């Protein structure tokens, strides 16, 4: 059954057409993800579907009696009042008492335990979670969510994912969270240059269908160019419209001449630009930091390597942003030291984004930093860099006040990269950035010749970027090798160890009624067997990387000796791991056969 439909919707903002004759329908049970480059009209379409805005042209048709719940990017709360009161605020008065238990339960699941706190005291992430709770408890057949994972931590994102998987109504959400899109959505709607392209299936299906759509458009354009050249030659020979066939051919030529040429898919082209980084980077020694009486970091030490790829995770308020601010010098530790190398040039992407003069033009904002920058491909002007960031020549001369939130973030990111940093500190870089920008940013970071430390809740981004994860929890920083998926698996195992055990520690042998014992893994062996192949793969990769470094430093004898010693140590660890793998694999096969001893 169709719950709501948008028919021939158009919308223009400040002479900029964001939606052009767009049609969209939503059936019961649909889970739709809306994607597209920032500024293309995703939030606008959601507002129109919610009834928060009216289209310039077209109609919205809702089935009689359907109920719509809408979460905007900035949740609408009063200035004061308890969290619980504000979450229940938009419910009909006769429903509030009945919904209070559900509201408390959802808030608990989203990590807000103190429901009596004044709403004004909540952080941005906490207000986001309260807004999600308010949207979820509304009696609704359709749930409209605008960037639901922005400003929330990884654990909350996982909880929200679980809640939405169980939601029985239809969902339409604007999001850049690619794991969300792939796990929850059954349909992807892309807005591109005012038009809407709908793909049945998950995000991975959309990627394949979009590639095919672009290939078909390119093939059709090649055919049209060939036809146009042939018809142009005929026209150039002085054709006369004497007969019906000639008239038809001239009309066909005019159609080909005035055809709409498909625009190549826009891409953010980030050149990897950085200044030289010496041996000494950032040394962190025994730092401790508390804010408002809460211990955030306790006695933490770390040496940031020159090519580090570190992802930082943890719940909101655990000190992740504080840590980055200490690295920049904006904050100082209560004790301990942070030493910055002489050649270090830090580029800091703040979660809050710096204050921008709304009357300033985009190109003027970039020229404040640099008008010309050197890239591996040569010298590039500020205007050219803006074009690579999807700022058309016309858009470059727009005032900042006319840009969308995502476009401002993209502009801010460009300004930071124009400083040619050699250590990048990124605080929630994925908030408000579209998938196209995120994808190319990930490619940029892969080739960036410096260190990257990123606080992020975006699991997909951390899986692509990170080689080590720092988890901030209860004043302690724990380090994990690998990306986010590796961290999640290992963290789950560690948390399982912390749960009080009712039974005695599992033993390798289990007694049977016959008095014999059945062979069995111990708990420790079970965990080791589950991860040992990944450990071996990591060691093999580290050895291969070390061999490349040896080849690249053949004339530096001091460095060569260090690398040779490191390779020897890694090979010894690998040999030990291989022997252990043989033993555990053999034990596993014997257990599967049900051997007894």
């Amino acid at each position: 059954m169709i719950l709501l439909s948008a028919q021939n919707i158009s919308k223009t903002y400040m002479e900029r057409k964001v939606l052009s004759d767009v049609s969209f329908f939503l059936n019961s049970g649909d889970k739709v993800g809306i994607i597209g480059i920032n500024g293309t009209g995703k939030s606008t379409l959601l507002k129109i579907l919610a009834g928060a805005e009216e289209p310039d042209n077209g109609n919205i048709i809702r089935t009689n009696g359907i109920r719509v719940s809408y979460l905007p990017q900035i949740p609408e709360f009063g200035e004061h009042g308890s969290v619980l009161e504000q979450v229940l605020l938009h419910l009909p008065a006769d429903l509030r008492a009945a919904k209070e238990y559900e509201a408390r339960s959802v808030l608990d699941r989203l990590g807000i335990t103190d429901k009596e706190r004044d709403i004004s005291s909540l952080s941005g992430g906490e207000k986001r979670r309260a807004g999600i709770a308010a949207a979820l408890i509304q009696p609704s057949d359709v749930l409209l969510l605008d960037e639901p994972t922005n400003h929330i931590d990884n654990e909350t994102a996982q909880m929200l994912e679980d809640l939405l998987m169980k939601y029985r109504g239809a969902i339409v959400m604007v999001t850049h969270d690619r794991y969300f899109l792939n796990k929850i959505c059954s349909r992807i709607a892309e807005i591109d240059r005012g038009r809407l392209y709908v793909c049945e299936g998950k995000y991975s299906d959309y990627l394949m269908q979009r590639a095919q759509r672009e290939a078909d458009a390119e093939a059709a354009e090649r055919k049209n160019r060939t036809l146009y050249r042939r018809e142009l030659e005929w026209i150039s020979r002085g054709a006369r419209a004497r007969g019906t066939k000639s008239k038809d051919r001239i009309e066909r030529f005019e159609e080909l001449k005035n055809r709409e040429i498909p625009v190549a898919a826009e891409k953010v082209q980030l050149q990897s630009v950085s200044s030289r980084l010496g041996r000494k980077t950032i040394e962190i020694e025994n730092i401790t930091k508390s804010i408002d009486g809460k211990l955030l970091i306790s006695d933490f030490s770390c040496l940031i390597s020159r090519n580090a790829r570190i992802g930082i995770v943890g719940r909101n308020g655990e000190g992740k942003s504080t840590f980055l601010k200490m690295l920049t010098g904006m904050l100082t530790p209560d004790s301990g030291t942070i030493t910055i190398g002489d050649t270090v040039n830090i580029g800091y992407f703040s979660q809050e984004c710096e204050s921008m003069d709304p009357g300033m033009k985009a190109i003027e904002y970039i020229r404040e930093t640099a008008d010309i920058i050197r890239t591996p491909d040569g010298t590039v002007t500020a205007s050219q860099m803006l074009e690579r960031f999807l700022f058309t020549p016309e858009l470059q001369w727009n005032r900042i006040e006319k840009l969308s939130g995502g476009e401002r973030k993209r502009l801010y990111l460009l300004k930071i990269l124009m400083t040619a940093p050699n250590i990048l500190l990124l605080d929630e870089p994925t908030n408000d950035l579209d998938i196209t920008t995120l994808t190319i940013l990930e490619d940029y970071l892969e080739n960036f010749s410096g260190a990257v430390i990123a606080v992020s809740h975006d699991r997909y981004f951390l899986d692509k970027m990170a080689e080590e994860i720092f988890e901030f929890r209860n004043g302690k920083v724990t380090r994990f090798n690998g990306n986010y998926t590796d961290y999640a698996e290992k963290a789950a195992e560690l948390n399982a160890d912390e749960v009080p055990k009712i039974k005695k520690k599992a033993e390798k042998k289990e007694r049977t009624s016959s008095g014999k014992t059945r062979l069995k893994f111990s708990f420790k062996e079970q965990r080791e067997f589950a991860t040992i192949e990944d450990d071996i793969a990591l060691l093999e990769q580290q050895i291969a990387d070390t061999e490349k470094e040896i080849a690249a430093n053949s004339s530096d004898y001091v460095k060569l000796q260090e690398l040779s010693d490191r390779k020897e140590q890694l090979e010894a660890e690998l040999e030990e791991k291989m022997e252990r793998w043989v033993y555990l694999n053999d034990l596993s096969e014997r257990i599967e056969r049900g051997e007894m001893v």
Side-chain angles (χ1 to χ4, degrees), residues 518-551:
R518 190 185 302 277
L519 204 58
K520 185 180 179 182
F521 274 132
S522 69
F523 182 74
K524 183 177 178 182
E525 287 173 336
Q526 183 71 57
R527 287 200 308 159
E528 185 182 6
F529 187 59
T531 61
I532 195 166
E533 290 187 352
D534 290 340
D535 296 337
I536 288 170
L538 180 61
L539 285 167
E540 288 173 338
Q541 183 60 51
Q542 288 174 340
I543 290 170
D545 292 343
T546 304
E547 287 174 345
K548 289 179 183 177
E549 286 189 65
I550 289 172

Side-chain angles (χ1 to χ4, degrees), residues 389-409:
F389 269 61
L390 306 184
F391 288 97
T392 62
E394 179 184 0
L395 195 57
Q396 292 175 27
W397 292 96
N398 269 8
R399 292 192 301 274
I400 288 173
E401 65 185 0
K402 290 187 177 182
L403 303 179
S404 70
E407 287 171 327
R408 293 184 194 187
K409 279 272 189 177

Side-chain angles (χ1 to χ4, degrees), residues 497-535:
D497 286 347
E498 294 171 3
V499 176
K501 296 176 177 59
I502 298 173
K503 296 183 178 180
K504 291 182 180 179
K505 183 178 178 180
E507 297 177 353
K508 186 183 295 184
K509 298 180 180 180
E510 178 183 324
R511 297 212 169 269
T512 64
S513 58
S514 62
K516 291 185 178 181
T517 55
R518 190 185 302 277
L519 204 58
K520 185 180 179 182
F521 274 132
S522 69
F523 182 74
K524 183 177 178 182
E525 287 173 336
Q526 183 71 57
R527 287 200 308 159
E528 185 182 6
F529 187 59
T531 61
I532 195 166
E533 290 187 352
D534 290 340
D535 296 337

Side-chain angles (χ1 to χ4, degrees), residues 26 44 56 111 173 183 252 279 286 299 339 407 422 433 548 564:
L26 185 71
T44 299
D56 297 336
M173 62 179 172
K183 194 166 182 180
R252 184 172 64 187
R279 285 179 176 271
N286 308 112
D299 195 29
T339 307
E407 287 171 327
N422 47 37
L433 289 184
K548 289 179 183 177
S564 297

Side-chain angles (χ1 to χ4, degrees), residues 1 102 179 274 276 293 352 425 432 461 463 525 528 536 556:
M1 181 179 77
E102 183 182 351
Y179 281 151
S274 62
R276 188 187 71 82
E352 295 84 12
L425 306 180
D432 302 312
F461 174 78
D463 270 345
E525 287 173 336
E528 185 182 6
I536 288 170
D556 185 346

Side-chain angles (χ1 to χ4, degrees), residues 392-587:
T392 62
E394 179 184 0
L395 195 57
Q396 292 175 27
W397 292 96
N398 269 8
R399 292 192 301 274
I400 288 173
E401 65 185 0
K402 290 187 177 182
L403 303 179
S404 70
E407 287 171 327
R408 293 184 194 187
K409 279 272 189 177
R410 197 191 311 151
L411 189 67
Y412 175 47
L413 177 60
L414 172 57
K415 184 172 184 177
I416 290 165
L417 297 180
M418 290 286 281
T419 65
N422 47 37
I423 293 184
L424 273 173
L425 306 180
L426 307 174
D427 194 355
E428 295 290 5
T430 64
N431 282 348
D432 302 312
L433 289 184
D434 56 72
I435 290 175
T436 301
T437 308
L438 283 175
T439 301
I440 307 303
L441 174 60
E442 288 157 359
D443 292 340
Y444 170 83
L445 294 179
E446 188 175 339
N447 298 309
F448 179 70
S449 56
V452 181
I453 305 173
V455 173
S456 181
H457 68 267
D458 190 317
R459 297 161 291 173
Y460 196 103
F461 174 78
L462 290 175
D463 270 345
K464 290 197 72 174
M465 183 280 296
E467 296 174 358
E468 187 176 9
I469 299 292
F470 288 7
E471 181 196 51
F472 283 57
R473 185 189 291 267
N474 300 327
K476 182 182 178 184
V477 181
T478 307
R479 300 171 64 175
F480 296 83
N481 284 327
N483 60 16
Y484 181 82
T485 298
D486 299 323
Y487 149 76
E489 292 173 357
K490 293 171 186 174
E493 293 170 4
L494 290 175
N495 291 337
D497 286 347
E498 294 171 3
V499 176
K501 296 176 177 59
I502 298 173
K503 296 183 178 180
K504 291 182 180 179
K505 183 178 178 180
E507 297 177 353
K508 186 183 295 184
K509 298 180 180 180
E510 178 183 324
R511 297 212 169 269
T512 64
S513 58
S514 62
K516 291 185 178 181
T517 55
R518 190 185 302 277
L519 204 58
K520 185 180 179 182
F521 274 132
S522 69
F523 182 74
K524 183 177 178 182
E525 287 173 336
Q526 183 71 57
R527 287 200 308 159
E528 185 182 6
F529 187 59
T531 61
I532 195 166
E533 290 187 352
D534 290 340
D535 296 337
I536 288 170
L538 180 61
L539 285 167
E540 288 173 338
Q541 183 60 51
Q542 288 174 340
I543 290 170
D545 292 343
T546 304
E547 287 174 345
K548 289 179 183 177
E549 286 189 65
I550 289 172
N553 292 274
S554 56
S555 59
D556 185 346
Y557 296 104
V558 175
K559 181 70 172 176
L560 201 58
Q561 185 60 52
E562 292 177 1
L563 292 170
S564 297
D565 292 342
R566 182 185 175 194
K567 181 186 175 187
E568 185 176 338
Q569 180 184 348
L570 289 170
E571 286 175 339
E573 291 177 20
L574 178 61
E575 184 176 354
E576 183 180 340
K577 282 286 183 186
M578 289 299 296
E579 289 178 0
R580 187 65 178 160
W581 176 83
V582 170
Y583 164 76
L584 292 172
N585 197 59
D586 178 66
L587 180 58

